[in-house]
Amino acid sequence: MSMSKAIVKKGLKVLDSTTKNHSYLVDAEGKEVQITSTMVRNVCTQLLNQCRKIKN
């Protein structure tokens, strides 16, 4: 069950009952995809490389 469906089904109390550090994005097909630490690291590396190119 997707996070949004769980919230609708159980109400907003589901957010308060458990502490989880999960983030999601919606892909081009409208599906929720969990953001992983690898994804974050890759984007940070790409951004750092872009900043270095601008500085030079």
Side-chain angles (χ1 to χ4, degrees):
M1 178 182 308
S2 69
M3 184 65 110
S4 58
K5 289 179 184 176
I7 292 171
V8 170
K9 184 176 179 182
K10 296 181 181 180
L12 293 177
K13 291 182 182 178
V14 72
L15 295 176
D16 296 329
S17 63
T18 57
T19 303
K20 294 182 181 179
N21 294 320
H22 298 287
S23 296
Y24 295 84
L25 58 88
V26 179
D27 68 8
E29 297 174 3
K31 296 179 183 177
E32 292 179 346
V33 179
Q34 185 173 358
I35 299 171
T36 64
S37 59
T38 302
M39 292 166 75
V40 173
R41 278 193 295 273
N42 288 340
V43 170
C44 288
T45 301
Q46 291 173 11
L47 181 60
L48 180 61
N49 288 336
Q50 287 178 4
C51 291
R52 287 179 178 159
K53 288 178 185 177
I54 292 170
K55 200 173 186 180
N56 292 333

